[in-house]
Amino acid sequence: MSPAAALELRSLCKRFGPKEVVTDLSFRVEPGEVFGFLGPNGAGKTTTMRMVLGLIRPSAGKLLVLGEEMPAGGRRVLPQVGPLVETPALYPNLSGRDNLAVFGAELGGVPWSRVDELLALVGLGDRGRDRVARYSLGMRQRLGLAVALLHRPRLLLLDEPANGLDPAGIREIRSLLRNLSSAGTTVFISSHVLGEVERVCDRVAILRRGRLAYLGDLSSLRASTGTFLVRIERADEALQWLRAQPWGGSAQAGPDGTVEVLSPTGRGRDLNRALMGAGFFADSLVPCERDLEEAFLQLTEEER
Ligand SMILES: Nc1ncnc2c1ncn2[C@@H]1O[C@H](COP(=O)(O)OP(=O)(O)OP(=O)(O)O)[C@@H](O)[C@H]1O
Ligand SMILES: [Mg+2]
């Protein structure tokens, strides 16, 4: 038997009244993975995370968190989950440091050394003694992350953690998440902006109107166009021949004697075989990569 997934969704559904917001959602997040949960506004990310945290019940399907079925297993498993969902609920009149101490006390108490270590980790080392009411949105987000990390969770659940962070802040958090993941923590992170998770995630699930539109790694998403730039002798003739093929109608001339064409199967070797069969010999076949942002928008565009 394979070891328990950090998170497993099996045909998960959520309805609010007649409205289905999450539909037949299935995927596994492996232990130690940094997993991106992507989708435009209203796609169902927060709703899914609230189910994972046992805050709302699934309407149908199964949900396993660290091997335990939710919401029944919540009491056993939630102490090992560090959540940051939407705006963190902080005490505005206390300092960041005292906020951490109060949340720590709820977990049975944490030493000040741990509090200060966390403040430094999220980049609030020099602002820890300021009242939270004076914090910017990005600073509150950082403090929320520190709260989520207090009890060294096995699974970190972050809903739009980049909210309010400037590019330098996003970068810092990214390296923090990488460090946590190399130390064995599983990170599940949602965003509506692909660029925010692009450089940190091993795999992503992309949601579109509550349904899974893509599951896998980002490099396959980038490379999944099936189009190749072929450098070939007699490029003009090759182009004529390609256009006459049932699969080659969209072939066009590329730069400097190249031809851009969709492979009959999506694979380079099958395109090469077809060309050779017709007596055209390629010097090189380079897969055309799709811009990731473009691919993400294509997968989700009907949303808007
Ligand atoms: N309690 C509720 N009752 C009715 N509808 C709800 C409820 N909570 C969420 N919804 C609806 O569910 C859909 C998904 O919302 P959700 O907050 O999960 O999206 P999201 O992917 O987190 O979006 P965003 O990027 O804006 O945070 C939306 O259409 C929302 O209006
Ligand atoms: Mg949301």
mmCIF file of all heavy atoms in Angstrom, residues 206-256:
data_model
loop_
_atom_site.group_PDB
_atom_site.id
_atom_site.type_symbol
_atom_site.label_atom_id
_atom_site.label_comp_id
_atom_site.label_asym_id
_atom_site.label_seq_id
_atom_site.Cartn_x
_atom_site.Cartn_y
_atom_site.Cartn_z
ATOM 1 N N ILE A 206 -5.523 22.981 -11.468
ATOM 2 C CA ILE A 206 -6.177 24.214 -11.905
ATOM 3 C C ILE A 206 -7.688 23.990 -11.913
ATOM 4 O O ILE A 206 -8.180 23.033 -12.506
ATOM 5 C CB ILE A 206 -5.664 24.660 -13.296
ATOM 6 C CG1 ILE A 206 -4.144 24.923 -13.221
ATOM 7 C CG2 ILE A 206 -6.401 25.916 -13.750
ATOM 8 C CD1 ILE A 206 -3.526 25.369 -14.530
ATOM 9 N N LEU A 207 -8.380 24.851 -11.224
ATOM 10 C CA LEU A 207 -9.834 24.741 -11.088
ATOM 11 C C LEU A 207 -10.526 25.689 -12.051
ATOM 12 O O LEU A 207 -10.101 26.837 -12.220
ATOM 13 C CB LEU A 207 -10.259 25.202 -9.698
ATOM 14 C CG LEU A 207 -10.437 24.226 -8.560
ATOM 15 C CD1 LEU A 207 -11.175 24.918 -7.421
ATOM 16 C CD2 LEU A 207 -11.199 23.013 -9.011
ATOM 17 N N ARG A 208 -11.600 25.202 -12.618
ATOM 18 C CA ARG A 208 -12.412 26.072 -13.464
ATOM 19 C C ARG A 208 -13.858 25.799 -13.102
ATOM 20 O O ARG A 208 -14.323 24.669 -13.255
ATOM 21 C CB ARG A 208 -12.132 25.732 -14.920
ATOM 22 C CG ARG A 208 -12.935 26.497 -15.903
ATOM 23 C CD ARG A 208 -12.363 26.212 -17.304
ATOM 24 N NE ARG A 208 -13.279 26.633 -18.304
ATOM 25 C CZ ARG A 208 -14.245 25.855 -18.797
ATOM 26 N NH1 ARG A 208 -14.387 24.629 -18.373
ATOM 27 N NH2 ARG A 208 -15.049 26.327 -19.709
ATOM 28 N N ARG A 209 -14.524 26.785 -12.584
ATOM 29 C CA ARG A 209 -15.907 26.631 -12.122
ATOM 30 C C ARG A 209 -16.094 25.392 -11.261
ATOM 31 O O ARG A 209 -16.987 24.585 -11.492
ATOM 32 C CB ARG A 209 -16.855 26.520 -13.310
ATOM 33 C CG ARG A 209 -17.002 27.803 -14.055
ATOM 34 C CD ARG A 209 -18.161 27.677 -15.003
ATOM 35 N NE ARG A 209 -18.061 28.624 -16.065
ATOM 36 C CZ ARG A 209 -18.640 28.480 -17.230
ATOM 37 N NH1 ARG A 209 -19.354 27.402 -17.479
ATOM 38 N NH2 ARG A 209 -18.529 29.388 -18.151
ATOM 39 N N GLY A 210 -15.205 25.211 -10.323
ATOM 40 C CA GLY A 210 -15.340 24.118 -9.365
ATOM 41 C C GLY A 210 -14.906 22.761 -9.868
ATOM 42 O O GLY A 210 -14.948 21.774 -9.130
ATOM 43 N N ARG A 211 -14.477 22.695 -11.141
ATOM 44 C CA ARG A 211 -14.036 21.418 -11.700
ATOM 45 C C ARG A 211 -12.552 21.455 -11.999
ATOM 46 O O ARG A 211 -12.002 22.527 -12.280
ATOM 47 C CB ARG A 211 -14.751 21.113 -13.031
ATOM 48 C CG ARG A 211 -16.194 20.787 -12.886
ATOM 49 C CD ARG A 211 -16.818 20.661 -14.284
ATOM 50 N NE ARG A 211 -18.261 20.480 -14.183
ATOM 51 C CZ ARG A 211 -18.848 19.301 -14.059
ATOM 52 N NH1 ARG A 211 -18.125 18.185 -14.057
ATOM 53 N NH2 ARG A 211 -20.151 19.213 -13.960
ATOM 54 N N LEU A 212 -11.938 20.269 -12.001
ATOM 55 C CA LEU A 212 -10.518 20.175 -12.294
ATOM 56 C C LEU A 212 -10.283 20.386 -13.796
ATOM 57 O O LEU A 212 -10.807 19.644 -14.617
ATOM 58 C CB LEU A 212 -10.026 18.787 -11.881
ATOM 59 C CG LEU A 212 -8.534 18.581 -11.812
ATOM 60 C CD1 LEU A 212 -7.936 19.465 -10.726
ATOM 61 C CD2 LEU A 212 -8.216 17.130 -11.514
ATOM 62 N N ALA A 213 -9.514 21.415 -14.144
ATOM 63 C CA ALA A 213 -9.226 21.673 -15.555
ATOM 64 C C ALA A 213 -7.831 21.179 -15.925
ATOM 65 O O ALA A 213 -7.536 20.943 -17.098
ATOM 66 C CB ALA A 213 -9.333 23.169 -15.843
ATOM 67 N N TYR A 214 -6.953 21.022 -14.949
ATOM 68 C CA TYR A 214 -5.598 20.525 -15.216
ATOM 69 C C TYR A 214 -4.998 20.016 -13.922
ATOM 70 O O TYR A 214 -5.187 20.606 -12.860
ATOM 71 C CB TYR A 214 -4.713 21.647 -15.785
ATOM 72 C CG TYR A 214 -3.294 21.189 -16.062
ATOM 73 C CD1 TYR A 214 -2.983 20.485 -17.214
ATOM 74 C CD2 TYR A 214 -2.281 21.429 -15.134
ATOM 75 C CE1 TYR A 214 -1.694 20.022 -17.445
ATOM 76 C CE2 TYR A 214 -0.986 20.977 -15.365
ATOM 77 C CZ TYR A 214 -0.707 20.277 -16.522
ATOM 78 O OH TYR A 214 0.568 19.822 -16.745
ATOM 79 N N LEU A 215 -4.264 18.903 -14.032
ATOM 80 C CA LEU A 215 -3.544 18.377 -12.874
ATOM 81 C C LEU A 215 -2.192 17.889 -13.362
ATOM 82 O O LEU A 215 -2.124 17.080 -14.276
ATOM 83 C CB LEU A 215 -4.329 17.207 -12.264
ATOM 84 C CG LEU A 215 -3.673 16.492 -11.088
ATOM 85 C CD1 LEU A 215 -3.582 17.391 -9.870
ATOM 86 C CD2 LEU A 215 -4.451 15.227 -10.726
ATOM 87 N N GLY A 216 -1.126 18.421 -12.810
ATOM 88 C CA GLY A 216 0.182 17.936 -13.243
ATOM 89 C C GLY A 216 1.251 18.965 -12.990
ATOM 90 O O GLY A 216 1.041 19.926 -12.249
ATOM 91 N N ASP A 217 2.425 18.737 -13.615
ATOM 92 C CA ASP A 217 3.483 19.716 -13.367
ATOM 93 C C ASP A 217 3.421 20.827 -14.409
ATOM 94 O O ASP A 217 2.807 20.680 -15.462
ATOM 95 C CB ASP A 217 4.868 19.067 -13.250
ATOM 96 C CG ASP A 217 5.230 18.281 -14.486
ATOM 97 O OD1 ASP A 217 4.802 18.691 -15.581
ATOM 98 O OD2 ASP A 217 5.928 17.277 -14.359
ATOM 99 N N LEU A 218 4.037 21.926 -14.057
ATOM 100 C CA LEU A 218 3.898 23.101 -14.913
ATOM 101 C C LEU A 218 4.703 22.973 -16.195
ATOM 102 O O LEU A 218 4.331 23.529 -17.220
ATOM 103 C CB LEU A 218 4.307 24.357 -14.148
ATOM 104 C CG LEU A 218 3.274 24.795 -13.113
ATOM 105 C CD1 LEU A 218 3.808 25.920 -12.245
ATOM 106 C CD2 LEU A 218 1.979 25.233 -13.776
ATOM 107 N N SER A 219 5.785 22.165 -16.166
ATOM 108 C CA SER A 219 6.559 22.051 -17.406
ATOM 109 C C SER A 219 5.751 21.329 -18.483
ATOM 110 O O SER A 219 5.836 21.662 -19.659
ATOM 111 C CB SER A 219 7.902 21.373 -17.156
ATOM 112 O OG SER A 219 7.708 20.167 -16.490
ATOM 113 N N SER A 220 4.936 20.336 -18.083
ATOM 114 C CA SER A 220 4.115 19.667 -19.107
ATOM 115 C C SER A 220 3.049 20.610 -19.636
ATOM 116 O O SER A 220 2.695 20.556 -20.812
ATOM 117 C CB SER A 220 3.413 18.425 -18.582
ATOM 118 O OG SER A 220 4.115 17.808 -17.588
ATOM 119 N N LEU A 221 2.538 21.453 -18.764
ATOM 120 C CA LEU A 221 1.529 22.417 -19.212
ATOM 121 C C LEU A 221 2.144 23.366 -20.244
ATOM 122 O O LEU A 221 1.551 23.677 -21.272
ATOM 123 C CB LEU A 221 1.012 23.204 -18.015
ATOM 124 C CG LEU A 221 -0.081 24.234 -18.279
ATOM 125 C CD1 LEU A 221 -1.318 23.557 -18.850
ATOM 126 C CD2 LEU A 221 -0.453 24.973 -17.006
ATOM 127 N N ARG A 222 3.380 23.742 -19.955
ATOM 128 C CA ARG A 222 4.081 24.663 -20.845
ATOM 129 C C ARG A 222 4.382 24.003 -22.189
ATOM 130 O O ARG A 222 4.268 24.605 -23.235
ATOM 131 C CB ARG A 222 5.385 25.069 -20.175
ATOM 132 C CG ARG A 222 6.008 26.293 -20.734
ATOM 133 C CD ARG A 222 7.356 26.531 -20.092
ATOM 134 N NE ARG A 222 7.278 27.243 -18.843
ATOM 135 C CZ ARG A 222 7.772 26.782 -17.695
ATOM 136 N NH1 ARG A 222 8.371 25.619 -17.637
ATOM 137 N NH2 ARG A 222 7.682 27.495 -16.608
ATOM 138 N N ALA A 223 4.736 22.716 -22.136
ATOM 139 C CA ALA A 223 5.201 22.050 -23.355
ATOM 140 C C ALA A 223 4.085 21.320 -24.084
ATOM 141 O O ALA A 223 4.338 20.636 -25.061
ATOM 142 C CB ALA A 223 6.311 21.072 -22.994
ATOM 143 N N SER A 224 2.840 21.461 -23.635
ATOM 144 C CA SER A 224 1.801 20.602 -24.193
ATOM 145 C C SER A 224 1.124 21.177 -25.431
ATOM 146 O O SER A 224 -0.023 20.922 -25.693
ATOM 147 C CB SER A 224 0.751 20.309 -23.120
ATOM 148 O OG SER A 224 0.114 21.510 -22.739
ATOM 149 N N THR A 225 1.845 21.957 -26.221
ATOM 150 C CA THR A 225 1.202 22.525 -27.403
ATOM 151 C C THR A 225 1.169 21.531 -28.559
ATOM 152 O O THR A 225 0.292 21.582 -29.390
ATOM 153 C CB THR A 225 1.959 23.765 -27.913
ATOM 154 O OG1 THR A 225 3.288 23.366 -28.241
ATOM 155 C CG2 THR A 225 1.991 24.861 -26.879
ATOM 156 N N GLY A 226 2.179 20.648 -28.648
ATOM 157 C CA GLY A 226 2.241 19.705 -29.760
ATOM 158 C C GLY A 226 2.751 20.331 -31.041
ATOM 159 O O GLY A 226 2.805 19.700 -32.092
ATOM 160 N N THR A 227 3.129 21.600 -30.974
ATOM 161 C CA THR A 227 3.638 22.293 -32.156
ATOM 162 C C THR A 227 5.162 22.324 -32.119
ATOM 163 O O THR A 227 5.760 22.438 -31.050
ATOM 164 C CB THR A 227 3.077 23.730 -32.191
ATOM 165 O OG1 THR A 227 1.660 23.656 -32.302
ATOM 166 C CG2 THR A 227 3.621 24.513 -33.375
ATOM 167 N N PHE A 228 5.771 22.171 -33.288
ATOM 168 C CA PHE A 228 7.233 22.148 -33.372
ATOM 169 C C PHE A 228 7.732 23.144 -34.402
ATOM 170 O O PHE A 228 7.066 23.392 -35.415
ATOM 171 C CB PHE A 228 7.719 20.737 -33.757
ATOM 172 C CG PHE A 228 7.465 19.737 -32.670
ATOM 173 C CD1 PHE A 228 6.205 19.167 -32.520
ATOM 174 C CD2 PHE A 228 8.464 19.385 -31.781
ATOM 175 C CE1 PHE A 228 5.956 18.265 -31.498
ATOM 176 C CE2 PHE A 228 8.226 18.483 -30.756
ATOM 177 C CZ PHE A 228 6.964 17.916 -30.621
ATOM 178 N N LEU A 229 8.908 23.671 -34.117
ATOM 179 C CA LEU A 229 9.598 24.501 -35.095
ATOM 180 C C LEU A 229 10.651 23.600 -35.738
ATOM 181 O O LEU A 229 11.563 23.123 -35.069
ATOM 182 C CB LEU A 229 10.257 25.688 -34.382
ATOM 183 C CG LEU A 229 10.711 26.824 -35.290
ATOM 184 C CD1 LEU A 229 9.515 27.469 -35.979
ATOM 185 C CD2 LEU A 229 11.462 27.884 -34.484
ATOM 186 N N VAL A 230 10.482 23.329 -37.033
ATOM 187 C CA VAL A 230 11.326 22.350 -37.699
ATOM 188 C C VAL A 230 12.277 23.057 -38.654
ATOM 189 O O VAL A 230 11.832 23.818 -39.530
ATOM 190 C CB VAL A 230 10.459 21.346 -38.508
ATOM 191 C CG1 VAL A 230 11.318 20.248 -39.104
ATOM 192 C CG2 VAL A 230 9.370 20.752 -37.617
ATOM 193 N N ARG A 231 13.562 22.833 -38.489
ATOM 194 C CA ARG A 231 14.540 23.344 -39.451
ATOM 195 C C ARG A 231 14.751 22.238 -40.470
ATOM 196 O O ARG A 231 15.075 21.107 -40.105
ATOM 197 C CB ARG A 231 15.852 23.695 -38.737
ATOM 198 C CG ARG A 231 16.889 24.310 -39.641
ATOM 199 C CD ARG A 231 18.071 24.818 -38.847
ATOM 200 N NE ARG A 231 17.692 25.869 -37.915
ATOM 201 C CZ ARG A 231 17.443 27.138 -38.274
ATOM 202 N NH1 ARG A 231 17.542 27.500 -39.549
ATOM 203 N NH2 ARG A 231 17.105 28.029 -37.381
ATOM 204 N N ILE A 232 14.529 22.564 -41.739
ATOM 205 C CA ILE A 232 14.452 21.488 -42.729
ATOM 206 C C ILE A 232 14.948 21.974 -44.086
ATOM 207 O O ILE A 232 14.812 23.156 -44.420
ATOM 208 C CB ILE A 232 12.966 21.001 -42.791
ATOM 209 C CG1 ILE A 232 12.856 19.649 -43.463
ATOM 210 C CG2 ILE A 232 12.054 22.016 -43.450
ATOM 211 C CD1 ILE A 232 11.545 18.952 -43.113
ATOM 212 N N GLU A 233 15.535 21.063 -44.872
ATOM 213 C CA GLU A 233 15.952 21.436 -46.220
ATOM 214 C C GLU A 233 14.685 21.578 -47.083
ATOM 215 O O GLU A 233 13.660 20.997 -46.771
ATOM 216 C CB GLU A 233 16.882 20.361 -46.792
ATOM 217 C CG GLU A 233 16.284 18.973 -46.659
ATOM 218 C CD GLU A 233 17.103 17.891 -47.351
ATOM 219 O OE1 GLU A 233 18.175 18.201 -47.868
ATOM 220 O OE2 GLU A 233 16.630 16.762 -47.360
ATOM 221 N N ARG A 234 14.762 22.376 -48.117
ATOM 222 C CA ARG A 234 13.618 22.628 -49.009
ATOM 223 C C ARG A 234 12.366 23.004 -48.200
ATOM 224 O O ARG A 234 11.311 22.384 -48.324
ATOM 225 C CB ARG A 234 13.354 21.413 -49.886
ATOM 226 C CG ARG A 234 14.545 21.076 -50.826
ATOM 227 C CD ARG A 234 14.251 19.894 -51.716
ATOM 228 N NE ARG A 234 14.230 18.643 -50.979
ATOM 229 C CZ ARG A 234 13.254 17.746 -51.010
ATOM 230 N NH1 ARG A 234 12.183 17.965 -51.759
ATOM 231 N NH2 ARG A 234 13.323 16.640 -50.305
ATOM 232 N N ALA A 235 12.530 23.998 -47.339
ATOM 233 C CA ALA A 235 11.454 24.363 -46.408
ATOM 234 C C ALA A 235 10.146 24.712 -47.135
ATOM 235 O O ALA A 235 9.063 24.357 -46.678
ATOM 236 C CB ALA A 235 11.899 25.526 -45.524
ATOM 237 N N ASP A 236 10.264 25.381 -48.298
ATOM 238 C CA ASP A 236 9.037 25.778 -49.009
ATOM 239 C C ASP A 236 8.247 24.560 -49.470
ATOM 240 O O ASP A 236 7.037 24.483 -49.306
ATOM 241 C CB ASP A 236 9.376 26.636 -50.239
ATOM 242 C CG ASP A 236 9.910 27.994 -49.812
ATOM 243 O OD1 ASP A 236 9.671 28.360 -48.634
ATOM 244 O OD2 ASP A 236 10.566 28.658 -50.631
ATOM 245 N N GLU A 237 8.980 23.623 -50.043
ATOM 246 C CA GLU A 237 8.324 22.395 -50.518
ATOM 247 C C GLU A 237 7.716 21.612 -49.355
ATOM 248 O O GLU A 237 6.604 21.078 -49.462
ATOM 249 C CB GLU A 237 9.384 21.473 -51.162
ATOM 250 C CG GLU A 237 9.406 21.475 -52.662
ATOM 251 C CD GLU A 237 10.494 20.523 -53.132
ATOM 252 O OE1 GLU A 237 10.270 19.296 -53.115
ATOM 253 O OE2 GLU A 237 11.594 21.011 -53.498
ATOM 254 N N ALA A 238 8.496 21.538 -48.252
ATOM 255 C CA ALA A 238 8.010 20.814 -47.063
ATOM 256 C C ALA A 238 6.718 21.446 -46.562
ATOM 257 O O ALA A 238 5.763 20.746 -46.198
ATOM 258 C CB ALA A 238 9.070 20.821 -45.971
ATOM 259 N N LEU A 239 6.683 22.769 -46.591
ATOM 260 C CA LEU A 239 5.498 23.477 -46.117
ATOM 261 C C LEU A 239 4.278 23.135 -46.985
ATOM 262 O O LEU A 239 3.192 22.868 -46.469
ATOM 263 C CB LEU A 239 5.772 24.989 -46.136
ATOM 264 C CG LEU A 239 4.682 25.890 -45.594
ATOM 265 C CD1 LEU A 239 4.346 25.552 -44.145
ATOM 266 C CD2 LEU A 239 5.095 27.360 -45.689
ATOM 267 N N GLN A 240 4.494 23.111 -48.331
ATOM 268 C CA GLN A 240 3.379 22.754 -49.223
ATOM 269 C C GLN A 240 2.858 21.364 -48.895
ATOM 270 O O GLN A 240 1.655 21.123 -48.821
ATOM 271 C CB GLN A 240 3.844 22.771 -50.702
ATOM 272 C CG GLN A 240 4.208 24.145 -51.233
ATOM 273 C CD GLN A 240 3.152 25.187 -50.879
ATOM 274 O OE1 GLN A 240 1.956 24.942 -50.984
ATOM 275 N NE2 GLN A 240 3.604 26.344 -50.421
ATOM 276 N N TRP A 241 3.818 20.449 -48.715
ATOM 277 C CA TRP A 241 3.421 19.061 -48.433
ATOM 278 C C TRP A 241 2.666 18.961 -47.101
ATOM 279 O O TRP A 241 1.624 18.314 -47.017
ATOM 280 C CB TRP A 241 4.665 18.156 -48.406
ATOM 281 C CG TRP A 241 4.290 16.731 -48.125
ATOM 282 C CD1 TRP A 241 3.784 15.815 -48.999
ATOM 283 C CD2 TRP A 241 4.330 16.084 -46.834
ATOM 284 N NE1 TRP A 241 3.506 14.641 -48.363
ATOM 285 C CE2 TRP A 241 3.832 14.775 -47.024
ATOM 286 C CE3 TRP A 241 4.741 16.472 -45.567
ATOM 287 C CZ2 TRP A 241 3.737 13.843 -45.988
ATOM 288 C CZ3 TRP A 241 4.640 15.552 -44.524
ATOM 289 C CH2 TRP A 241 4.142 14.262 -44.743
ATOM 290 N N LEU A 242 3.204 19.645 -46.086
ATOM 291 C CA LEU A 242 2.570 19.589 -44.757
ATOM 292 C C LEU A 242 1.140 20.107 -44.813
ATOM 293 O O LEU A 242 0.224 19.526 -44.233
ATOM 294 C CB LEU A 242 3.378 20.427 -43.749
ATOM 295 C CG LEU A 242 4.663 19.783 -43.236
ATOM 296 C CD1 LEU A 242 5.568 20.805 -42.556
ATOM 297 C CD2 LEU A 242 4.341 18.646 -42.264
ATOM 298 N N ARG A 243 0.955 21.208 -45.528
ATOM 299 C CA ARG A 243 -0.384 21.826 -45.582
ATOM 300 C C ARG A 243 -1.403 20.920 -46.254
ATOM 301 O O ARG A 243 -2.604 21.040 -46.018
ATOM 302 C CB ARG A 243 -0.312 23.154 -46.331
ATOM 303 C CG ARG A 243 0.277 24.251 -45.460
ATOM 304 C CD ARG A 243 -0.070 25.595 -46.029
ATOM 305 N NE ARG A 243 0.402 26.654 -45.172
ATOM 306 C CZ ARG A 243 1.017 27.741 -45.609
ATOM 307 N NH1 ARG A 243 1.212 27.910 -46.921
ATOM 308 N NH2 ARG A 243 1.406 28.663 -44.778
ATOM 309 N N ALA A 244 -0.884 20.004 -47.087
ATOM 310 C CA ALA A 244 -1.801 19.100 -47.785
ATOM 311 C C ALA A 244 -2.186 17.899 -46.913
ATOM 312 O O ALA A 244 -3.055 17.106 -47.290
ATOM 313 C CB ALA A 244 -1.159 18.629 -49.090
ATOM 314 N N GLN A 245 -1.532 17.766 -45.765
ATOM 315 C CA GLN A 245 -1.855 16.627 -44.890
ATOM 316 C C GLN A 245 -3.072 16.960 -44.029
ATOM 317 O O GLN A 245 -3.273 18.112 -43.659
ATOM 318 C CB GLN A 245 -0.653 16.292 -43.974
ATOM 319 C CG GLN A 245 0.629 16.023 -44.728
ATOM 320 C CD GLN A 245 0.427 15.042 -45.877
ATOM 321 O OE1 GLN A 245 -0.074 13.939 -45.690
ATOM 322 N NE2 GLN A 245 0.777 15.466 -47.084
ATOM 323 N N PRO A 246 -3.861 15.916 -43.679
ATOM 324 C CA PRO A 246 -5.061 16.184 -42.884
ATOM 325 C C PRO A 246 -4.741 16.859 -41.534
ATOM 326 O O PRO A 246 -5.554 17.609 -41.007
ATOM 327 C CB PRO A 246 -5.671 14.790 -42.649
ATOM 328 C CG PRO A 246 -4.753 13.800 -43.244
ATOM 329 C CD PRO A 246 -3.723 14.501 -44.049
ATOM 330 N N TRP A 247 -3.558 16.618 -40.983
ATOM 331 C CA TRP A 247 -3.198 17.174 -39.671
ATOM 332 C C TRP A 247 -2.342 18.420 -39.781
ATOM 333 O O TRP A 247 -2.017 19.046 -38.774
ATOM 334 C CB TRP A 247 -2.448 16.124 -38.836
ATOM 335 C CG TRP A 247 -1.411 15.363 -39.630
ATOM 336 C CD1 TRP A 247 -1.626 14.199 -40.303
ATOM 337 C CD2 TRP A 247 -0.054 15.745 -39.873
ATOM 338 N NE1 TRP A 247 -0.472 13.815 -40.959
ATOM 339 C CE2 TRP A 247 0.502 14.747 -40.706
ATOM 340 C CE3 TRP A 247 0.743 16.820 -39.496
ATOM 341 C CZ2 TRP A 247 1.821 14.792 -41.159
ATOM 342 C CZ3 TRP A 247 2.056 16.858 -39.943
ATOM 343 C CH2 TRP A 247 2.580 15.862 -40.767
ATOM 344 N N GLY A 248 -1.932 18.771 -41.021
ATOM 345 C CA GLY A 248 -0.923 19.829 -41.160
ATOM 346 C C GLY A 248 -1.459 21.155 -41.662
ATOM 347 O O GLY A 248 -0.692 22.043 -42.031
ATOM 348 N N GLY A 249 -2.782 21.295 -41.678
ATOM 349 C CA GLY A 249 -3.395 22.494 -42.252
ATOM 350 C C GLY A 249 -2.897 23.808 -41.666
ATOM 351 O O GLY A 249 -2.871 24.826 -42.357
ATOM 352 N N SER A 250 -2.483 23.785 -40.408
ATOM 353 C CA SER A 250 -2.093 25.045 -39.773
ATOM 354 C C SER A 250 -0.602 25.329 -39.901
ATOM 355 O O SER A 250 -0.094 26.271 -39.295
ATOM 356 C CB SER A 250 -2.487 25.014 -38.293
ATOM 357 O OG SER A 250 -1.760 23.985 -37.646
ATOM 358 N N ALA A 251 0.102 24.506 -40.690
ATOM 359 C CA ALA A 251 1.553 24.711 -40.829
ATOM 360 C C ALA A 251 1.833 26.080 -41.433
ATOM 361 O O ALA A 251 1.107 26.561 -42.296
ATOM 362 C CB ALA A 251 2.142 23.621 -41.718
ATOM 363 N N GLN A 252 2.885 26.713 -40.935
ATOM 364 C CA GLN A 252 3.265 28.010 -41.485
ATOM 365 C C GLN A 252 4.774 28.170 -41.487
ATOM 366 O O GLN A 252 5.479 27.448 -40.778
ATOM 367 C CB GLN A 252 2.599 29.129 -40.691
ATOM 368 C CG GLN A 252 2.822 29.002 -39.204
ATOM 369 C CD GLN A 252 2.166 30.138 -38.432
ATOM 370 O OE1 GLN A 252 1.567 31.023 -39.002
ATOM 371 N NE2 GLN A 252 2.314 30.116 -37.124
ATOM 372 N N ALA A 253 5.235 29.108 -42.303
ATOM 373 C CA ALA A 253 6.678 29.346 -42.375
ATOM 374 C C ALA A 253 7.132 30.017 -41.088
ATOM 375 O O ALA A 253 6.481 30.936 -40.599
ATOM 376 C CB ALA A 253 6.984 30.229 -43.572
ATOM 377 N N GLY A 254 8.246 29.531 -40.544
ATOM 378 C CA GLY A 254 8.842 30.159 -39.372
ATOM 379 C C GLY A 254 10.029 31.002 -39.803
ATOM 380 O O GLY A 254 10.257 31.173 -41.006
ATOM 381 N N PRO A 255 10.827 31.509 -38.867
ATOM 382 C CA PRO A 255 11.997 32.318 -39.215
ATOM 383 C C PRO A 255 13.111 31.489 -39.873
ATOM 384 O O PRO A 255 13.235 30.301 -39.579
ATOM 385 C CB PRO A 255 12.464 32.880 -37.857
ATOM 386 C CG PRO A 255 11.856 31.975 -36.824
ATOM 387 C CD PRO A 255 10.630 31.374 -37.423
ATOM 388 N N ASP A 256 13.880 32.084 -40.750
ATOM 389 C CA ASP A 256 15.064 31.504 -41.427
ATOM 390 C C ASP A 256 14.891 30.061 -41.889
ATOM 391 O O ASP A 256 15.545 29.172 -41.343
ATOM 392 C CB ASP A 256 16.337 31.501 -40.540
ATOM 393 C CG ASP A 256 16.393 32.638 -39.568
ATOM 394 O OD1 ASP A 256 16.093 33.751 -39.996
ATOM 395 O OD2 ASP A 256 16.727 32.381 -38.384
#
